[in-house]
Amino acid sequence: MSTHLLNLNLRVWRQAGPNDQGGFKTYRLNGVSTHMSFLEMLDVLNEQLIAQKEEPVAFDHDCREGICGMCSLMINGQAHGPDNATTTCQLHMRRFKDGDTVTIEPWRAAAFPVLRDLVVDRSAFDRIISAGGFVSVNTGNAPDGNAILVPGVRQEVAMDGAACIGCGACVAACKNASAMLFVSAKVSQLAILPQGHPERNARVINMVAQMDKEGFGSCTNTSECEAACPAEVSVAHIARLNREYLRASIFAET
Amino acid sequence: MVRVASDTLNSRVPDGPLQQKWDKHLFDMKLVNPSNKRKFSVIVVGTGLAGGAAAASLGELGYNVKSFCFQDSPRRAHSIAAQGGINAAKNYQNDGDSVWRLFYDTLKGGDYRAREANVHRLAQVSNNIIDQCVAQGVPFAREYGGTLSNRSFGGAQVSRTFYCRGQTGQQLLLGAYQALMRQVSTGKVKLFARREMLELVIVDGLARGIVVRNLATGQLETHTADAVVLATGGYGNVYYLSTMAKGSNVTAAWRCARKGALFANPCYTQIHPTCIPVTGDYQSKLTLMSESLRNDGRVWVPSSKGDKRAPDQIPDTERDYYLERRYPSYGNLAPRDISSRAAKERCDAGHGVGETGLAVFLDFRDAIQRDGEDVVRKKYGNLFHMYNKITAEDPYKQPMRIFPAVHYTMGGLWVDYNLMSNVKGLYVLGEANFSDHGANRLGASALMQGLSDGYFVIPYTIGDHLATTKLEKIADDHPACLQAKKDAEDRITKLMGVQGKRSVDSFHRELGLLMWEKCGMARNRSGLEQVIGQIRDLREQYWKDVRVLGSGDTLNQSLEKAGRVADFMEFAELLAIDALNREESCGGHFREEYQTSEGEAARNDADYSYVAAWEFQSGGAEPILHKEPLVFENVKPSTRSYK
Ligand SMILES: Cc1cc2nc3c(=O)[nH]c(=O)nc-3n(C[C@H](O)[C@H](O)[C@H](O)COP(=O)(O)OP(=O)(O)OC[C@H]3O[C@@H](n4cnc5c(N)ncnc54)[C@H](O)[C@@H]3O)c2cc1C
Ligand code: SF4
Ligand code: FES
């Protein structure tokens, strides 16, 4: 594993606060090791900025291992950058070439307002889960784990949906800023598992209603979301959501 | 000389036979009647497994809950990153497991430095946790026929670990998060994300509120309640490089310690044997490769020193599978502390591999030959993918290179059997407390503890406090609230006012390196004495030369880090003092002066079979040591052997 050093031009979105207009600023960053992660590269940029008494670039991140869903960033127009199935924190600089210009922007969606620089507000996702993305079982009410049998194969499909990390890349990648992939991942997991069945109809109706209320766009099946999704959530879940929605609209108790 | 308090701490463990303590206690505790619960309010800081489960369960019971986290959503607490699995004594595999065996393994795994009664309760409720999570829709791995699957983890000879691919923590946390969001929808829980706790409010000796900074706007807010539950995770980032999330901090716990809550066993830190090695000085964190990999991966180094051949060029006869050699009955599943030290020993002896010589191999060749690549991919696919992302190497083709890294902290705020600290009304759950893992935590037992504390302990024990304590109404303008808010404000002003030349990160890295070198995998008296002085010097420099740009009343990530590092600078000293005081080796605490002729930890039960709980003293004075003697009524501490 040999190390190379890159010299880069970074075009970074800077925005002082929610009400500021914001704009791009260009920085030159030299000597970037190809072993660095993308966020480590931004750390180095920030060290350089602090040394020059310029405020560092704000960006969300926490686990830096691809699971918390806190990191974001549009990198050269792609949500989480060029690699498939990879979050920004897991993207490494070996994907870039010496002399590259790299454009870095926040997620762009009406439902995800910018708070500062590259940081956006994704609380709309929490409100969608709160509208029905759960099984109503109070602590202490559970039967033995093996009393509910779930065939291994079904289990795997449920897990595919459950793997969503809630990052919002699907919304950012979609020209309509639709949140369908995110919503369908949860609807689908809980529709497949027997534990989710009692609330199946209300769940899909309420989550979709909340999604609309938050101002996400509608889904026109372009599958950009799937391509951007770091957790490899498939659009097959959207198809399942649509079936669930139809079913619920027919059978819902009114 | 350490100043020792004359009284010993009362753990309030109920009397009676071990197996009946918890049930008896449940009966003895006072209850809050259902219609009165809505009259009480509880603050829960932290939304990980411990805090998320607690806030959801308390909301279900009818309490008014306020839930806080520093991330943008409760779903991002660092519990999300747990990979391998969660233990329970279900005995679904019919391999001889039982509550007693789980209790015994955990207590022994902790090198007999945990509180016996707490560990037994943990083993008892472990089965309820699995049931609860299944009912929530947590997609645990299953067999074809639909029953739950298990895998093995270190320090156990039964298969009792439940898992969801390589992302068990994620699924358990989402289960708790969804239960929490359900309570948010009913209005019983109010959510405060992007809030960082900066002060505890104590009124008449009772924990009654907190001061937080809204990280999005910079505003300070005061919140009051009838009790405060802290579930703020571990302090591993005092080492800068660790498997913790970047935001993980000691601030919440340390701010409570500064107000009188005792900090127990800070020197018990866990160094995990299988992490991806450091590559450069820009490195911002270390990535764990789950212990579950040791079910199928074999750990080895070349038998001859400095052997630089590619691993597949080294025949089996010239490989040293040192864990299998030294610990034949546990082999690659020897506990973490032991496996980490064994790796260090081989590297120190010149057998390490990779560019730096600070790595050993974790090899899947035999498993792939035996079971095929597909089976291995199904079990560990996401971990292999992660390894490949970071190193650009393919672990299906060549062995992983791994090295120990700081991973978990067994120490934490002192709590009694009810999980209440010595400050009345302040409860501490999950990794933030000290109680269940002793000097070393076994794999798959932190998730168990977090959920046990949150779902099955605090909902009962907090009621006893609320039902039996006189709680006056207090408002945000109570003098204690105003003072706490002013303290937080003053610190921010002071940090912003230094206007020095060095970034916060540069200080944090320097502190971390000191701690790793002198207070890491191996410790000794002279190193510890030296590092205490070095920490003090660095802290002094910090307050003279740190540079925090921008302002306090906007989103300002430098300022967030600056506050956390300031607290790490104080806490690091306590960690070293505790390590210096404990003149024995036990679990993750290895004092080079105290080892057997074979290099194993030499515990000293005669002098150190106690919990060291430290009381902070202001003005730079030495902390006071309070002791809780450890009483083992049921298991006789023996020398831990995995041979
Ligand atoms: C990479 C990794 C893998 C692991 N794998 C396993 C495993 O397989 N099995 C196992 O049993 N254990 C595992 N562990 C350990 C286990 O995940 C943790 O110990 C456990 O999840 C901690 O849970 P918690 O609820 O105590 O804290 P956390 O999940 O860390 O949550 C802390 C919460 O407190 C909040 N918080 C912290 N500070 C503040 C503050 N100042 N103000 C406001 N809020 C604050 C955070 O926002 C967060 O919500 C692993 C740990 C790591 C790092
Ligand atoms: S579906 Fe994929 S892209 Fe969308 S939030 Fe979930 S993980 Fe992110
Ligand atoms: S920082 Fe957690 S997923 Fe990237």
Side-chain angles (χ1 to χ4, degrees), chain A residues 80 125 161 163-171 179 181-183 185 225 228-233, chain B residues 75:
Chain A
H80 288 304
F125 271 11
C164 164
I165 62 172
C167 63
C170 44
V171 175
L181 194 63
F182 168 78
V183 177
C225 51
C229 176
E232 299 182 274
V233 174
Chain B
R75 66 179 290 153

mmCIF file with all atom_site columns, all heavy atoms in Angstrom, chain A residues 80 125 161 163-171 179 181-183 185 225 228-233, chain B residues 75, ligand 2:
data_model
loop_
_atom_site.group_PDB
_atom_site.id
_atom_site.type_symbol
_atom_site.label_atom_id
_atom_site.label_alt_id
_atom_site.label_comp_id
_atom_site.label_asym_id
_atom_site.label_entity_id
_atom_site.label_seq_id
_atom_site.pdbx_PDB_ins_code
_atom_site.Cartn_x
_atom_site.Cartn_y
_atom_site.Cartn_z
_atom_site.occupancy
_atom_site.B_iso_or_equiv
_atom_site.pdbx_formal_charge
_atom_site.auth_seq_id
_atom_site.auth_comp_id
_atom_site.auth_asym_id
_atom_site.auth_atom_id
_atom_site.pdbx_PDB_model_num
ATOM   1   N  N   . HIS A 1 80  ? -22.284 11.633 -0.931 1.00 0.00 ? 80  HIS A N   1
ATOM   2   C  CA  . HIS A 1 80  ? -21.238 10.786 -0.335 1.00 0.00 ? 80  HIS A CA  1
ATOM   3   C  C   . HIS A 1 80  ? -20.085 10.482 -1.317 1.00 0.00 ? 80  HIS A C   1
ATOM   4   O  O   . HIS A 1 80  ? -19.301 9.552  -1.077 1.00 0.00 ? 80  HIS A O   1
ATOM   5   C  CB  . HIS A 1 80  ? -21.789 9.433  0.158  1.00 0.00 ? 80  HIS A CB  1
ATOM   6   C  CG  . HIS A 1 80  ? -22.645 9.500  1.391  1.00 0.00 ? 80  HIS A CG  1
ATOM   7   N  ND1 . HIS A 1 80  ? -22.222 10.057 2.582  1.00 0.00 ? 80  HIS A ND1 1
ATOM   8   C  CD2 . HIS A 1 80  ? -23.902 9.030  1.635  1.00 0.00 ? 80  HIS A CD2 1
ATOM   9   C  CE1 . HIS A 1 80  ? -23.191 9.927  3.493  1.00 0.00 ? 80  HIS A CE1 1
ATOM   10  N  NE2 . HIS A 1 80  ? -24.209 9.319  2.947  1.00 0.00 ? 80  HIS A NE2 1
ATOM   11  N  N   . PHE A 1 125 ? -36.585 13.581 9.376  1.00 0.00 ? 125 PHE A N   1
ATOM   12  C  CA  . PHE A 1 125 ? -36.528 12.110 9.402  1.00 0.00 ? 125 PHE A CA  1
ATOM   13  C  C   . PHE A 1 125 ? -37.019 11.564 10.746 1.00 0.00 ? 125 PHE A C   1
ATOM   14  O  O   . PHE A 1 125 ? -37.719 10.562 10.799 1.00 0.00 ? 125 PHE A O   1
ATOM   15  C  CB  . PHE A 1 125 ? -35.093 11.628 9.147  1.00 0.00 ? 125 PHE A CB  1
ATOM   16  C  CG  . PHE A 1 125 ? -34.746 11.430 7.692  1.00 0.00 ? 125 PHE A CG  1
ATOM   17  C  CD1 . PHE A 1 125 ? -35.588 11.877 6.679  1.00 0.00 ? 125 PHE A CD1 1
ATOM   18  C  CD2 . PHE A 1 125 ? -33.577 10.771 7.330  1.00 0.00 ? 125 PHE A CD2 1
ATOM   19  C  CE1 . PHE A 1 125 ? -35.262 11.687 5.332  1.00 0.00 ? 125 PHE A CE1 1
ATOM   20  C  CE2 . PHE A 1 125 ? -33.239 10.571 5.999  1.00 0.00 ? 125 PHE A CE2 1
ATOM   21  C  CZ  . PHE A 1 125 ? -34.084 11.028 4.995  1.00 0.00 ? 125 PHE A CZ  1
ATOM   22  N  N   . GLY A 1 161 ? -33.590 -3.802 4.661  1.00 0.00 ? 161 GLY A N   1
ATOM   23  C  CA  . GLY A 1 161 ? -34.236 -2.505 4.861  1.00 0.00 ? 161 GLY A CA  1
ATOM   24  C  C   . GLY A 1 161 ? -33.777 -1.854 6.149  1.00 0.00 ? 161 GLY A C   1
ATOM   25  O  O   . GLY A 1 161 ? -33.485 -0.652 6.201  1.00 0.00 ? 161 GLY A O   1
ATOM   26  N  N   . ALA A 1 163 ? -31.110 -1.891 7.508  1.00 0.00 ? 163 ALA A N   1
ATOM   27  C  CA  . ALA A 1 163 ? -29.717 -1.419 7.461  1.00 0.00 ? 163 ALA A CA  1
ATOM   28  C  C   . ALA A 1 163 ? -29.598 0.080  7.181  1.00 0.00 ? 163 ALA A C   1
ATOM   29  O  O   . ALA A 1 163 ? -28.522 0.655  7.335  1.00 0.00 ? 163 ALA A O   1
ATOM   30  C  CB  . ALA A 1 163 ? -28.941 -2.207 6.406  1.00 0.00 ? 163 ALA A CB  1
ATOM   31  N  N   . CYS A 1 164 ? -30.679 0.730  6.768  1.00 0.00 ? 164 CYS A N   1
ATOM   32  C  CA  . CYS A 1 164 ? -30.661 2.186  6.491  1.00 0.00 ? 164 CYS A CA  1
ATOM   33  C  C   . CYS A 1 164 ? -30.039 2.948  7.647  1.00 0.00 ? 164 CYS A C   1
ATOM   34  O  O   . CYS A 1 164 ? -30.365 2.721  8.805  1.00 0.00 ? 164 CYS A O   1
ATOM   35  C  CB  . CYS A 1 164 ? -32.093 2.676  6.261  1.00 0.00 ? 164 CYS A CB  1
ATOM   36  S  SG  . CYS A 1 164 ? -32.289 4.466  6.366  1.00 0.00 ? 164 CYS A SG  1
ATOM   37  N  N   . ILE A 1 165 ? -29.131 3.866  7.335  1.00 0.00 ? 165 ILE A N   1
ATOM   38  C  CA  . ILE A 1 165 ? -28.447 4.619  8.399  1.00 0.00 ? 165 ILE A CA  1
ATOM   39  C  C   . ILE A 1 165 ? -29.032 6.023  8.584  1.00 0.00 ? 165 ILE A C   1
ATOM   40  O  O   . ILE A 1 165 ? -28.518 6.814  9.371  1.00 0.00 ? 165 ILE A O   1
ATOM   41  C  CB  . ILE A 1 165 ? -26.920 4.700  8.158  1.00 0.00 ? 165 ILE A CB  1
ATOM   42  C  CG1 . ILE A 1 165 ? -26.590 5.445  6.862  1.00 0.00 ? 165 ILE A CG1 1
ATOM   43  C  CG2 . ILE A 1 165 ? -26.294 3.298  8.157  1.00 0.00 ? 165 ILE A CG2 1
ATOM   44  C  CD1 . ILE A 1 165 ? -25.086 5.711  6.674  1.00 0.00 ? 165 ILE A CD1 1
ATOM   45  N  N   . GLY A 1 166 ? -30.085 6.339  7.835  1.00 0.00 ? 166 GLY A N   1
ATOM   46  C  CA  . GLY A 1 166 ? -30.759 7.627  8.055  1.00 0.00 ? 166 GLY A CA  1
ATOM   47  C  C   . GLY A 1 166 ? -29.926 8.839  7.699  1.00 0.00 ? 166 GLY A C   1
ATOM   48  O  O   . GLY A 1 166 ? -30.052 9.897  8.330  1.00 0.00 ? 166 GLY A O   1
ATOM   49  N  N   . CYS A 1 167 ? -29.093 8.711  6.675  1.00 0.00 ? 167 CYS A N   1
ATOM   50  C  CA  . CYS A 1 167 ? -28.161 9.800  6.356  1.00 0.00 ? 167 CYS A CA  1
ATOM   51  C  C   . CYS A 1 167 ? -28.787 10.887 5.499  1.00 0.00 ? 167 CYS A C   1
ATOM   52  O  O   . CYS A 1 167 ? -28.352 12.033 5.529  1.00 0.00 ? 167 CYS A O   1
ATOM   53  C  CB  . CYS A 1 167 ? -26.932 9.237  5.652  1.00 0.00 ? 167 CYS A CB  1
ATOM   54  S  SG  . CYS A 1 167 ? -27.319 8.458  4.061  1.00 0.00 ? 167 CYS A SG  1
ATOM   55  N  N   . GLY A 1 168 ? -29.774 10.516 4.687  1.00 0.00 ? 168 GLY A N   1
ATOM   56  C  CA  . GLY A 1 168 ? -30.404 11.506 3.821  1.00 0.00 ? 168 GLY A CA  1
ATOM   57  C  C   . GLY A 1 168 ? -29.800 11.619 2.433  1.00 0.00 ? 168 GLY A C   1
ATOM   58  O  O   . GLY A 1 168 ? -30.204 12.484 1.650  1.00 0.00 ? 168 GLY A O   1
ATOM   59  N  N   . ALA A 1 169 ? -28.863 10.764 2.096  1.00 0.00 ? 169 ALA A N   1
ATOM   60  C  CA  . ALA A 1 169 ? -28.250 10.833 0.766  1.00 0.00 ? 169 ALA A CA  1
ATOM   61  C  C   . ALA A 1 169 ? -29.280 10.588 -0.328 1.00 0.00 ? 169 ALA A C   1
ATOM   62  O  O   . ALA A 1 169 ? -29.209 11.170 -1.413 1.00 0.00 ? 169 ALA A O   1
ATOM   63  C  CB  . ALA A 1 169 ? -27.118 9.810  0.653  1.00 0.00 ? 169 ALA A CB  1
ATOM   64  N  N   . CYS A 1 170 ? -30.255 9.722  -0.048 1.00 0.00 ? 170 CYS A N   1
ATOM   65  C  CA  . CYS A 1 170 ? -31.287 9.426  -1.048 1.00 0.00 ? 170 CYS A CA  1
ATOM   66  C  C   . CYS A 1 170 ? -32.038 10.701 -1.412 1.00 0.00 ? 170 CYS A C   1
ATOM   67  O  O   . CYS A 1 170 ? -32.344 10.934 -2.578 1.00 0.00 ? 170 CYS A O   1
ATOM   68  C  CB  . CYS A 1 170 ? -32.237 8.356  -0.505 1.00 0.00 ? 170 CYS A CB  1
ATOM   69  S  SG  . CYS A 1 170 ? -32.762 8.586  1.199  1.00 0.00 ? 170 CYS A SG  1
ATOM   70  N  N   . VAL A 1 171 ? -32.328 11.521 -0.402 1.00 0.00 ? 171 VAL A N   1
ATOM   71  C  CA  . VAL A 1 171 ? -33.034 12.778 -0.647 1.00 0.00 ? 171 VAL A CA  1
ATOM   72  C  C   . VAL A 1 171 ? -32.143 13.725 -1.455 1.00 0.00 ? 171 VAL A C   1
ATOM   73  O  O   . VAL A 1 171 ? -32.566 14.333 -2.438 1.00 0.00 ? 171 VAL A O   1
ATOM   74  C  CB  . VAL A 1 171 ? -33.415 13.445 0.700  1.00 0.00 ? 171 VAL A CB  1
ATOM   75  C  CG1 . VAL A 1 171 ? -34.042 14.807 0.473  1.00 0.00 ? 171 VAL A CG1 1
ATOM   76  C  CG2 . VAL A 1 171 ? -34.327 12.535 1.497  1.00 0.00 ? 171 VAL A CG2 1
ATOM   77  N  N   . ALA A 1 179 ? -38.112 11.449 -0.202 1.00 0.00 ? 179 ALA A N   1
ATOM   78  C  CA  . ALA A 1 179 ? -37.568 10.656 0.904  1.00 0.00 ? 179 ALA A CA  1
ATOM   79  C  C   . ALA A 1 179 ? -38.088 9.217  0.846  1.00 0.00 ? 179 ALA A C   1
ATOM   80  O  O   . ALA A 1 179 ? -38.059 8.490  1.838  1.00 0.00 ? 179 ALA A O   1
ATOM   81  C  CB  . ALA A 1 179 ? -37.937 11.295 2.236  1.00 0.00 ? 179 ALA A CB  1
ATOM   82  N  N   . LEU A 1 181 ? -37.023 6.401  -0.394 1.00 0.00 ? 181 LEU A N   1
ATOM   83  C  CA  . LEU A 1 181 ? -36.172 5.249  -0.078 1.00 0.00 ? 181 LEU A CA  1
ATOM   84  C  C   . LEU A 1 181 ? -36.046 5.102  1.442  1.00 0.00 ? 181 LEU A C   1
ATOM   85  O  O   . LEU A 1 181 ? -36.176 4.000  1.984  1.00 0.00 ? 181 LEU A O   1
ATOM   86  C  CB  . LEU A 1 181 ? -34.782 5.390  -0.721 1.00 0.00 ? 181 LEU A CB  1
ATOM   87  C  CG  . LEU A 1 181 ? -33.967 4.100  -0.729 1.00 0.00 ? 181 LEU A CG  1
ATOM   88  C  CD1 . LEU A 1 181 ? -34.630 3.003  -1.556 1.00 0.00 ? 181 LEU A CD1 1
ATOM   89  C  CD2 . LEU A 1 181 ? -32.544 4.341  -1.242 1.00 0.00 ? 181 LEU A CD2 1
ATOM   90  N  N   . PHE A 1 182 ? -35.818 6.206  2.107  1.00 0.00 ? 182 PHE A N   1
ATOM   91  C  CA  . PHE A 1 182 ? -35.719 6.182  3.574  1.00 0.00 ? 182 PHE A CA  1
ATOM   92  C  C   . PHE A 1 182 ? -37.015 5.640  4.197  1.00 0.00 ? 182 PHE A C   1
ATOM   93  O  O   . PHE A 1 182 ? -36.978 4.745  5.047  1.00 0.00 ? 182 PHE A O   1
ATOM   94  C  CB  . PHE A 1 182 ? -35.427 7.601  4.094  1.00 0.00 ? 182 PHE A CB  1
ATOM   95  C  CG  . PHE A 1 182 ? -35.595 7.750  5.572  1.00 0.00 ? 182 PHE A CG  1
ATOM   96  C  CD1 . PHE A 1 182 ? -34.622 7.283  6.442  1.00 0.00 ? 182 PHE A CD1 1
ATOM   97  C  CD2 . PHE A 1 182 ? -36.737 8.337  6.107  1.00 0.00 ? 182 PHE A CD2 1
ATOM   98  C  CE1 . PHE A 1 182 ? -34.785 7.407  7.824  1.00 0.00 ? 182 PHE A CE1 1
ATOM   99  C  CE2 . PHE A 1 182 ? -36.907 8.457  7.481  1.00 0.00 ? 182 PHE A CE2 1
ATOM   100 C  CZ  . PHE A 1 182 ? -35.930 7.989  8.340  1.00 0.00 ? 182 PHE A CZ  1
ATOM   101 N  N   . VAL A 1 183 ? -38.133 6.182  3.776  1.00 0.00 ? 183 VAL A N   1
ATOM   102 C  CA  . VAL A 1 183 ? -39.412 5.779  4.379  1.00 0.00 ? 183 VAL A CA  1
ATOM   103 C  C   . VAL A 1 183 ? -39.693 4.308  4.072  1.00 0.00 ? 183 VAL A C   1
ATOM   104 O  O   . VAL A 1 183 ? -40.109 3.532  4.930  1.00 0.00 ? 183 VAL A O   1
ATOM   105 C  CB  . VAL A 1 183 ? -40.564 6.684  3.889  1.00 0.00 ? 183 VAL A CB  1
ATOM   106 C  CG1 . VAL A 1 183 ? -41.893 6.225  4.465  1.00 0.00 ? 183 VAL A CG1 1
ATOM   107 C  CG2 . VAL A 1 183 ? -40.292 8.130  4.279  1.00 0.00 ? 183 VAL A CG2 1
ATOM   108 N  N   . ALA A 1 185 ? -37.663 1.896  3.499  1.00 0.00 ? 185 ALA A N   1
ATOM   109 C  CA  . ALA A 1 185 ? -36.776 0.960  4.198  1.00 0.00 ? 185 ALA A CA  1
ATOM   110 C  C   . ALA A 1 185 ? -37.409 0.537  5.519  1.00 0.00 ? 185 ALA A C   1
ATOM   111 O  O   . ALA A 1 185 ? -37.403 -0.645 5.885  1.00 0.00 ? 185 ALA A O   1
ATOM   112 C  CB  . ALA A 1 185 ? -35.412 1.598  4.434  1.00 0.00 ? 185 ALA A CB  1
ATOM   113 N  N   . CYS A 1 225 ? -31.631 7.486  -5.863 1.00 0.00 ? 225 CYS A N   1
ATOM   114 C  CA  . CYS A 1 225 ? -31.498 7.251  -4.427 1.00 0.00 ? 225 CYS A CA  1
ATOM   115 C  C   . CYS A 1 225 ? -30.713 5.964  -4.172 1.00 0.00 ? 225 CYS A C   1
ATOM   116 O  O   . CYS A 1 225 ? -29.787 5.938  -3.356 1.00 0.00 ? 225 CYS A O   1
ATOM   117 C  CB  . CYS A 1 225 ? -32.868 7.170  -3.771 1.00 0.00 ? 225 CYS A CB  1
ATOM   118 S  SG  . CYS A 1 225 ? -33.998 6.022  -4.605 1.00 0.00 ? 225 CYS A SG  1
ATOM   119 N  N   . ALA A 1 228 ? -27.059 6.215  -4.714 1.00 0.00 ? 228 ALA A N   1
ATOM   120 C  CA  . ALA A 1 228 ? -26.320 7.021  -3.726 1.00 0.00 ? 228 ALA A CA  1
ATOM   121 C  C   . ALA A 1 228 ? -26.295 6.379  -2.346 1.00 0.00 ? 228 ALA A C   1
ATOM   122 O  O   . ALA A 1 228 ? -25.498 6.757  -1.488 1.00 0.00 ? 228 ALA A O   1
ATOM   123 C  CB  . ALA A 1 228 ? -26.950 8.404  -3.614 1.00 0.00 ? 228 ALA A CB  1
ATOM   124 N  N   . CYS A 1 229 ? -27.156 5.403  -2.118 1.00 0.00 ? 229 CYS A N   1
ATOM   125 C  CA  . CYS A 1 229 ? -27.349 4.906  -0.753 1.00 0.00 ? 229 CYS A CA  1
ATOM   126 C  C   . CYS A 1 229 ? -26.142 4.125  -0.244 1.00 0.00 ? 229 CYS A C   1
ATOM   127 O  O   . CYS A 1 229 ? -25.765 3.116  -0.823 1.00 0.00 ? 229 CYS A O   1
ATOM   128 C  CB  . CYS A 1 229 ? -28.582 4.015  -0.683 1.00 0.00 ? 229 CYS A CB  1
ATOM   129 S  SG  . CYS A 1 229 ? -28.778 3.286  0.952  1.00 0.00 ? 229 CYS A SG  1
ATOM   130 N  N   . PRO A 1 230 ? -25.518 4.579  0.838  1.00 0.00 ? 230 PRO A N   1
ATOM   131 C  CA  . PRO A 1 230 ? -24.348 3.880  1.352  1.00 0.00 ? 230 PRO A CA  1
ATOM   132 C  C   . PRO A 1 230 ? -24.695 2.536  1.975  1.00 0.00 ? 230 PRO A C   1
ATOM   133 O  O   . PRO A 1 230 ? -23.826 1.679  2.119  1.00 0.00 ? 230 PRO A O   1
ATOM   134 C  CB  . PRO A 1 230 ? -23.816 4.838  2.415  1.00 0.00 ? 230 PRO A CB  1
ATOM   135 C  CG  . PRO A 1 230 ? -24.978 5.656  2.833  1.00 0.00 ? 230 PRO A CG  1
ATOM   136 C  CD  . PRO A 1 230 ? -25.855 5.777  1.623  1.00 0.00 ? 230 PRO A CD  1
ATOM   137 N  N   . ALA A 1 231 ? -25.965 2.334  2.351  1.00 0.00 ? 231 ALA A N   1
ATOM   138 C  CA  . ALA A 1 231 ? -26.342 1.079  3.007  1.00 0.00 ? 231 ALA A CA  1
ATOM   139 C  C   . ALA A 1 231 ? -26.938 0.096  2.003  1.00 0.00 ? 231 ALA A C   1
ATOM   140 O  O   . ALA A 1 231 ? -27.467 -0.942 2.398  1.00 0.00 ? 231 ALA A O   1
ATOM   141 C  CB  . ALA A 1 231 ? -27.325 1.357  4.136  1.00 0.00 ? 231 ALA A CB  1
ATOM   142 N  N   . GLU A 1 232 ? -26.856 0.428  0.712  1.00 0.00 ? 232 GLU A N   1
ATOM   143 C  CA  . GLU A 1 232 ? -27.364 -0.445 -0.353 1.00 0.00 ? 232 GLU A CA  1
ATOM   144 C  C   . GLU A 1 232 ? -28.826 -0.832 -0.165 1.00 0.00 ? 232 GLU A C   1
ATOM   145 O  O   . GLU A 1 232 ? -29.216 -1.968 -0.418 1.00 0.00 ? 232 GLU A O   1
ATOM   146 C  CB  . GLU A 1 232 ? -26.481 -1.695 -0.510 1.00 0.00 ? 232 GLU A CB  1
ATOM   147 C  CG  . GLU A 1 232 ? -25.044 -1.338 -0.881 1.00 0.00 ? 232 GLU A CG  1
ATOM   148 C  CD  . GLU A 1 232 ? -24.163 -2.566 -1.085 1.00 0.00 ? 232 GLU A CD  1
ATOM   149 O  OE1 . GLU A 1 232 ? -23.612 -3.070 -0.072 1.00 0.00 ? 232 GLU A OE1 1
ATOM   150 O  OE2 . GLU A 1 232 ? -24.045 -3.010 -2.224 1.00 0.00 ? 232 GLU A OE2 1
ATOM   151 N  N   . VAL A 1 233 ? -29.623 0.123  0.294  1.00 0.00 ? 233 VAL A N   1
ATOM   152 C  CA  . VAL A 1 233 ? -31.065 -0.120 0.378  1.00 0.00 ? 233 VAL A CA  1
ATOM   153 C  C   . VAL A 1 233 ? -31.609 -0.104 -1.051 1.00 0.00 ? 233 VAL A C   1
ATOM   154 O  O   . VAL A 1 233 ? -31.342 0.818  -1.816 1.00 0.00 ? 233 VAL A O   1
ATOM   155 C  CB  . VAL A 1 233 ? -31.748 0.969  1.244  1.00 0.00 ? 233 VAL A CB  1
ATOM   156 C  CG1 . VAL A 1 233 ? -33.275 0.806  1.203  1.00 0.00 ? 233 VAL A CG1 1
ATOM   157 C  CG2 . VAL A 1 233 ? -31.243 0.904  2.685  1.00 0.00 ? 233 VAL A CG2 1
ATOM   158 N  N   . ARG B 2 75  ? -30.848 8.684  17.065 1.00 0.00 ? 75  ARG B N   1
ATOM   159 C  CA  . ARG B 2 75  ? -30.471 7.420  16.439 1.00 0.00 ? 75  ARG B CA  1
ATOM   160 C  C   . ARG B 2 75  ? -28.968 7.318  16.185 1.00 0.00 ? 75  ARG B C   1
ATOM   161 O  O   . ARG B 2 75  ? -28.492 6.278  15.753 1.00 0.00 ? 75  ARG B O   1
ATOM   162 C  CB  . ARG B 2 75  ? -31.217 7.231  15.121 1.00 0.00 ? 75  ARG B CB  1
ATOM   163 C  CG  . ARG B 2 75  ? -30.839 8.237  14.048 1.00 0.00 ? 75  ARG B CG  1
ATOM   164 C  CD  . ARG B 2 75  ? -31.598 8.001  12.740 1.00 0.00 ? 75  ARG B CD  1
ATOM   165 N  NE  . ARG B 2 75  ? -31.168 6.794  12.081 1.00 0.00 ? 75  ARG B NE  1
ATOM   166 C  CZ  . ARG B 2 75  ? -31.927 6.056  11.264 1.00 0.00 ? 75  ARG B CZ  1
ATOM   167 N  NH1 . ARG B 2 75  ? -33.169 6.416  11.033 1.00 0.00 ? 75  ARG B NH1 1
ATOM   168 N  NH2 . ARG B 2 75  ? -31.456 4.990  10.678 1.00 0.00 ? 75  ARG B NH2 1
HETATM 169 S  S1  . SF4 C 3 .   ? -32.111 4.846  2.432  1.00 0.00 ? 2   SF4 C S1  1
HETATM 170 FE FE1 . SF4 C 3 .   ? -29.890 4.899  2.156  1.00 0.00 ? 2   SF4 C FE1 1
HETATM 171 S  S2  . SF4 C 3 .   ? -29.445 6.982  1.480  1.00 0.00 ? 2   SF4 C S2  1
HETATM 172 FE FE2 . SF4 C 3 .   ? -31.508 7.019  2.328  1.00 0.00 ? 2   SF4 C FE2 1
HETATM 173 S  S3  . SF4 C 3 .   ? -31.242 7.608  4.471  1.00 0.00 ? 2   SF4 C S3  1
HETATM 174 FE FE3 . SF4 C 3 .   ? -31.241 5.346  4.411  1.00 0.00 ? 2   SF4 C FE3 1
HETATM 175 S  S4  . SF4 C 3 .   ? -29.069 4.840  4.219  1.00 0.00 ? 2   SF4 C S4  1
HETATM 176 FE FE4 . SF4 C 3 .   ? -29.194 7.016  3.699  1.00 0.00 ? 2   SF4 C FE4 1
#
